[in-house]
Amino acid sequence: VVTCDKRNADGDCGSDEQRANARLISSAPDLLAALKAINRNAGYESGAAEPTLRELRVHVAHLDTARAAIASAEGIAAR
């Protein structure tokens, strides 16, 4: 959650760019965690040429986490 402690003369919390930067900064831990999880699970644990169903589910879960973090950084609702 991004909050505004100081408002400018117009009663605004800053420019669009400043608000976007604040959203990005506040979502950075989630973005980093999602990227680390995707990177950690980039290879298939089973070593097979094709992933197992469980491995696919793990990848989808990490991608969903990454999508939610991206949506948070962009200030939009996750789908």
Side-chain angles (χ1 to χ4, degrees):
V1 176
V2 177
T3 60
C4 178
D5 293 332
K6 296 181 181 177
R7 297 189 182 274
N8 62 21
D10 296 326
D12 195 8
C13 285
S15 69
D16 289 341
E17 182 179 9
Q18 289 169 323
R19 286 189 294 279
N21 288 339
R23 283 192 305 272
L24 182 58
I25 290 166
S26 70
S27 64
D30 293 335
L31 290 166
L32 179 59
L35 289 171
K36 283 183 173 182
I38 289 169
N39 185 58
R40 184 174 51 250
N41 293 290
Y44 302 128
E45 295 171 11
S46 64
E50 297 292 325
T52 65
L53 184 57
R54 186 192 69 76
E55 289 169 336
L56 286 175
R57 287 185 181 136
V58 168
H59 288 291
V60 169
H62 291 309
L63 288 173
D64 288 344
T65 301
R67 287 184 188 109
I70 292 166
S72 175
E74 292 178 339
I76 56 175
R79 295 181 210 174

